[in-house]
Amino acid sequence: MFNRTSLQAAAALASISLLSGCSVFSDGESAGDQRIVIGTTSSPSTLDPAAAWDNSWELFRNVFQTLVSFPTGTTSPQSDAADCKFKEGSSSRVFECVLHDGLTFSNGHKLDAKAVQYSIERIRTIDVQGGPNGMLGSLDKIEATDDRTVVFRLNKSDATFPFILATPAMSIVDPAEYPADQLRKDGKLVGSGPYVLDSYAEGQKAELTRNPSYKGFADRKNGGVTIRYFKESEPMVAALKKKEIDATYRGLTAEEVVALQADKPENKGLQLVESTGADIRYLVFNTRDESVARLPVRKAIAQLVDRDELVNKVYQGTAEPLYSMVPKGISGHTTKFYDRFGGPDASKAKSILRDAGITKPVKLDFWYTTDRYGSSTAAEFTELKRQLEESGLFEVALHGKPWKEFQAGYQKGQYPVFGRGWFPDFPDPDNFVAPFMGKENVLGTPYVSPKITDELIPKSRRESDRGAVTDEFAQAQEIMVQDVRLLPLWQGKLYIAASEDIGGGERALDPQTVMQLWELSRRTSW
């Protein structure tokens, strides 16, 4: 899950208008009546929240409610379906939520405390590999103490628990519509959020209309949204220029961003909204595979990768080098990989391998997804291959697969080295370390570090002041550099390209870099 250089950046995006113009409606129409058409290359992998720890959240945020959420302008969880707080004297171990009165699902069924309990417990029961149950490690049990009150009892102090409840993974579902012990598979979706999913064609389109029974914080500035899913960014941009869609989100290549920034006739009537932040890209090393099981091999790769060259050549200023799994702008960020390895150095990499008795080029298989992070991913891996092979120390074979196949493969441990992106669940250093650790993690590749999982993370989670946990995460990052199980590459920027008559792009991304579709509107005049 996300893109910001400060905790506040997602709520204060910089809007860059390329050209200005005007737009008017017929008599009797208003901006709030208008439908908006969004294009993206990031389609949902599932329609069931119990299975999703990925960009499926984009859809969920707009059709489900969570107990707490991130309204525009906030960086800590605020009330959504309920008012919540840790009980006094509980040492961040008892979290109580009181639901707002009169909540219903879009089908008219009652949304009560038992529905909330059911929604979270089915995540744990179904326990999808690589799914959101991995976020609930601190949860002991849930109690519906009355019709509107839900109490979460934790097995340890966890000041990040409200942030977890604010993720779309914790969407509240209707017990009558969602099986308790298996995923819903009929292609339908029922929630209590700002919109209703009227129709869905996998990989093609989702049609959303206003939910007339919605009671929540979202101020819907449009009459509904159509989301069109594209396999490649080129036809998506073409559709924007032909006014077949109103805006794009996720998937623009660096070349396309640079082209859209240019003052050229083909950009007439377009604008670009930029958000710089905490979405990151990194390599994962599966040490169960003999090709990267030896630490010197992984260290040599870390010594060779030229992040500056990668960012400049492939991303043309739309990203920046990253030397830590915790990105710039997040409390606890360091540059540990640069501190340890410095700049790229083939002679040092050669010495690392030779000292380990490795004298022949190491053959590696690098895997990446072709349709999740944008069309530049293939070029990125081509550049990584070039850098490693230019040293004469490695021979790299590249393999690309669509997201669903790719995801299934890495969760089964089939890939020696693979590329992943991380859009943060919430703006806290914990979310850039904890999800990747332990025998069961989001990568499907066990990474056991008792010092991190048993000491540093628990200690940090006892601290409600999240700005006071930098020492713990600095230590964690130092251990991660020593292990080289994950190799951070870059942190990026998100861009919303839109027609000039579309407003609200500067407010549309929450701190999880999830699109809040209700913020988008068609301007009535200029």
Side-chain angles (χ1 to χ4, degrees):
M1 307 318 84
F2 325 339
N3 307 89
R4 49 203 154 268
T5 52
S6 71
L7 298 184
Q8 292 79 25
L13 309 178
S15 179
I16 306 171
S17 180
L18 303 183
L19 290 170
S20 61
C22 61
S23 176
V24 295
F25 297 135
S26 304
D27 290 344
E29 287 186 310
S30 68
D33 296 327
Q34 299 295 306
R35 288 191 67 83
I36 306 293
V37 183
I38 301 291
T40 179
T41 62
S42 183
S43 61
S45 63
T46 176
L47 293 186
D48 193 323
W53 200 346
D54 58 22
N55 288 336
S56 302
W57 287 10
E58 222 73 65
L59 185 61
F60 298 163
R61 172 58 73 212
N62 292 280
V63 294
F64 289 106
Q65 279 184 290
T66 46
L67 292 169
V68 289
S69 188
F70 291 101
T72 299
T74 64
T75 56
S76 59
Q78 306 294 317
S79 174
D80 187 353
D83 294 318
C84 304
K85 63 181 180 180
F86 279 110
K87 297 197 74 171
E88 291 186 16
S90 70
S91 301
S92 298
R93 293 187 62 170
V94 180
F95 194 67
E96 183 178 83
C97 295
V98 179
L99 290 166
H100 297 158
D101 191 27
L103 294 178
T104 63
F105 293 101
S106 60
N107 59 9
H109 295 175
K110 186 177 181 180
L111 194 168
D112 57 13
K114 289 184 178 179
V116 174
Q117 181 181 18
Y118 182 92
S119 299
I120 307 301
E121 286 184 342
R122 72 184 292 269
I123 293 173
R124 300 205 292 175
T125 298
I126 298 172
D127 192 18
V128 172
Q129 184 176 9
N133 190 33
M135 304 171 70
L136 294 171
S138 64
L139 179 59
D140 181 18
K141 61 181 178 179
I142 316 168
E143 301 170 352
T145 58
D146 61 41
D147 200 41
R148 291 174 51 198
T149 305
V150 186
V151 177
F152 298 88
R153 299 191 182 277
L154 310 184
N155 53 38
K156 53 191 171 185
S157 297
D158 187 359
T160 72
F161 190 72
F163 291 83
I164 293 168
L165 288 181
T167 67
M170 304 300 146
S171 295
I172 305 169
V173 302
D174 182 359
E177 297 271 359
Y178 290 81
D181 57 358
Q182 60 182 314
L183 298 176
R184 182 173 184 172
K185 299 177 181 178
D186 62 0
K188 297 180 180 180
L189 186 158
V190 174
S192 60
Y195 297 96
V196 174
L197 179 66
D198 284 338
S199 65
Y200 179 76
E202 184 175 358
Q204 300 178 46
K205 187 167 63 173
E207 295 281 2
L208 307 180
T209 57
R210 284 191 179 203
N211 177 5
S213 63
Y214 171 65
K215 294 182 179 181
F217 68 87
D219 178 14
R220 293 164 292 187
K221 298 179 174 64
N222 55 63
V225 179
T226 298
I227 306 173
R228 286 185 54 189
Y229 301 111
F230 294 83
K231 291 184 178 180
E232 300 289 341
S233 59
E234 184 176 353
M236 180 174 70
V237 174
L240 176 67
K241 292 181 176 180
K242 290 187 289 187
K243 299 188 180 303
E244 295 173 352
I245 62 176
D246 297 307
T248 72
Y249 177 56
R250 294 206 195 278
L252 291 176
T253 66
E255 292 81 6
E256 288 162 346
V257 170
V258 171
L260 286 168
Q261 289 172 332
D263 186 6
K264 294 181 178 180
E266 58 265 32
N267 292 330
K268 184 177 181 180
L270 300 180
Q271 61 174 317
L272 197 67
V273 177
E274 176 186 306
S275 172
T276 305
D279 75 300
I280 67 173
R281 298 295 185 275
Y282 56 97
L283 293 179
V284 182
F285 297 104
N286 181 1
T287 55
R288 289 179 172 177
D289 189 282
E290 63 179 12
S291 66
V292 290
R294 291 176 289 182
L295 179 58
V297 172
R298 306 195 300 275
K299 284 185 173 179
I301 295 171
Q303 186 65 72
L304 286 171
V305 170
D306 189 335
R307 295 168 176 81
D308 287 312
E309 184 76 3
L310 176 66
V311 166
N312 291 334
K313 182 177 290 186
V314 178
Y315 292 101
Q316 301 181 46
T318 62
E320 57 183 314
L322 180 64
Y323 296 95
S324 159
M325 288 299 288
V326 179
K328 288 173 60 177
I330 299 295
S331 176
H333 165 72
T334 70
T335 56
K336 294 292 187 179
F337 270 92
Y338 186 84
D339 299 342
R340 174 62 62 92
F341 294 100
D345 192 316
S347 62
K348 288 183 179 179
K350 184 176 181 179
S351 295
I352 291 171
L353 293 175
R354 296 299 180 265
D355 289 347
I358 303 171
T359 57
K360 295 181 179 180
V362 179
K363 295 183 178 181
L364 298 173
D365 288 284
F366 275 32
W367 292 79
Y368 64 92
T369 177
T370 57
D371 60 354
R372 174 57 56 170
Y373 307 123
S375 304
S376 297
T377 306
E380 174 180 341
F381 275 76
T382 298
E383 172 61 16
L384 290 171
K385 170 183 169 72
R386 184 197 67 78
Q387 291 182 11
L388 296 182
E389 291 188 339
E390 190 174 67
S391 70
L393 302 175
F394 294 94
E395 295 177 4
V396 180
L398 300 180
H399 310 273
K401 281 191 173 185
W403 173 252
K404 280 196 172 183
E405 295 178 48
F406 176 80
Q407 185 181 40
Y410 77 69
Q411 289 177 349
K412 294 176 182 176
Q414 294 177 348
Y415 309 147
V417 185
F418 57 97
R420 282 295 313 271
W422 186 250
F423 296 87
D425 305 321
F426 48 85
D428 189 278
D430 186 281
N431 196 235
F432 293 90
V433 176
F436 310 116
M437 309 304 298
K439 293 181 180 179
E440 301 290 337
N441 59 42
V442 299
L443 303 172
T445 302
Y447 179 8
V448 178
S449 175
K451 175 71 173 180
I452 296 177
T453 56
D454 300 343
E455 180 180 333
L456 296 175
I457 289 177
K459 182 180 178 183
S460 73
R461 288 180 175 175
R462 291 192 290 270
E463 178 56 67
S464 58
D465 179 3
R466 303 309 294 161
V469 297
T470 55
D471 288 346
E472 288 80 7
F473 286 103
Q475 292 180 56
Q477 289 168 83
E478 178 61 37
I479 294 170
M480 295 169 83
V481 171
Q482 294 171 7
D483 295 341
V484 197
R485 292 291 308 277
L486 306 169
L487 184 65
L489 298 173
W490 55 268
Q491 69 180 90
K493 305 173 183 180
L494 282 182
Y495 294 88
I496 299 173
S499 297
E500 64 183 358
D501 65 337
I502 299 299
E506 71 282 358
R507 294 175 54 82
L509 301 180
D510 73 6
Q512 301 157 313
T513 65
V514 172
M515 178 76 92
Q516 301 179 136
L517 295 174
W518 57 84
E519 292 287 357
L520 299 177
S521 65
R522 200 177 303 278
R523 296 187 178 103
T524 57
S525 63
W526 287 82

